[in-house]
Amino acid sequence: MARTGRPREFDRDRAIDAARALFWAQGYEPTSLTQLKSCMGNISPASFYAAFGSKEALFREVVQRYLATYGQVMAPLWDESLSPREAIERTLRSSARMQSARTHPPGCLVVCGASNCSPENEPVQALLAAERQRTRTGIRACVERAIANGELNASPATDVLPDILTTFFHGMTCEARDGMRPDTLDAAVTSLLTLWDINAVKRGTAKRPKKS
């Protein structure tokens, strides 16, 4: 008589990691429930819904797992022990390395995970849009801190510097997904930061923001 083995225990953490890789590679809408159940070890529909409730709920967990792991490349933006320039540079260089690594899908999940959703999936798109806005806010805070500290001149050029940095950051996803090498992205970061340096305060010539 054939022995009946013990059912393999469902590893929830491993399942979320597998779903993360799939959503990251394909995006939210193109990823089907069939693909998700398969990558999680061919779990049954009942097991899937018992564990996660819905595809959207799973995606929200995946995003939180991503932010807590790969997304930590953004942490320097909120580290005030770093100079504003160092915070920006660390964030950009770390993100460039992460997005172009070959150990996981290329690009940034927050940028490419739900960029073109149908109306019924607008809440998913809004979830990632909010995270991208958080990045914009962090970059702008670094630039404003540099102006307040007298590290950058207050000028029309520095008014738009946060937008330039954010556009570059989000654009790295397209380049990484199209195969741009890590060293090329890193060199592009070096070139981008010259915009910061040419607007840096020269000793004795600080232009403080005007008081309102």
Side-chain angles (χ1 to χ4, degrees):
M1 180 183 292
R3 296 180 60 188
T4 302
R6 227 180 128 186
R8 186 170 60 181
E9 186 176 348
F10 175 65
D11 188 328
R12 199 172 192 283
D13 284 339
R14 185 173 293 180
I16 292 173
D17 286 343
R20 177 181 59 194
L22 197 57
F23 281 131
W24 193 347
Q26 299 184 173
Y28 179 77
E29 283 200 348
T31 299
S32 68
L33 284 173
T34 298
Q35 290 174 316
L36 287 167
K37 290 181 291 181
S38 176
C39 81
M40 292 176 177
N42 293 310
I43 63 173
S44 68
S47 295
F48 177 88
Y49 288 111
F52 303 109
S54 68
K55 176 183 172 182
E56 180 180 331
L58 169 62
F59 185 74
R60 289 178 180 274
E61 282 200 53
V62 162
V63 170
Q64 291 308 308
R65 176 70 60 85
Y66 176 87
L67 294 173
T69 52
Y70 296 101
Q72 286 301 296
V73 295
M74 308 303 297
L77 291 179
W78 294 277
D79 184 353
E80 294 197 1
S81 70
L82 301 174
S83 71
R85 188 190 186 286
E86 185 178 4
I88 292 288
E89 181 171 9
R90 284 194 187 186
T91 297
L92 289 173
R93 292 197 192 281
S94 296
S95 186
R97 286 193 298 272
M98 184 277 288
Q99 293 195 48
S100 56
R102 297 184 178 181
T103 55
H104 52 69
C108 171
L109 174 64
V110 170
V111 175
C112 65
S115 59
N116 194 25
C117 287
S118 52
E120 59 265 31
N121 290 317
E122 186 177 345
V124 172
Q125 193 160 325
L127 170 69
L128 297 191
E131 288 300 328
R132 292 193 296 273
Q133 182 57 43
R134 185 169 180 267
T135 296
R136 292 185 188 96
T137 300
I139 289 173
R140 183 166 295 279
C142 284
V143 173
E144 290 177 349
R145 181 160 63 96
I147 294 171
N149 292 345
E151 299 169 40
L152 282 177
N153 286 305
S155 69
T158 50
D159 285 346
V160 298
L161 185 57
D163 303 315
I164 295 169
L165 294 168
T166 300
T167 299
F168 179 93
F169 175 79
H170 289 151
M172 281 198 293
T173 288
C174 292
E175 300 307 319
R177 290 177 75 86
D178 284 348
M180 185 174 283
R181 292 168 51 88
D183 57 343
T184 304
L185 277 175
D186 193 69
V189 171
T190 299
S191 182
L192 175 70
L193 288 171
T194 62
L195 291 176
W196 183 291
D197 296 336
I198 64 176
N199 287 287
V201 170
K202 306 299 186 289
R203 189 167 297 178
T205 62
K207 296 180 183 178
R208 297 283 185 170
K210 294 180 180 180
K211 293 183 179 179
S212 55

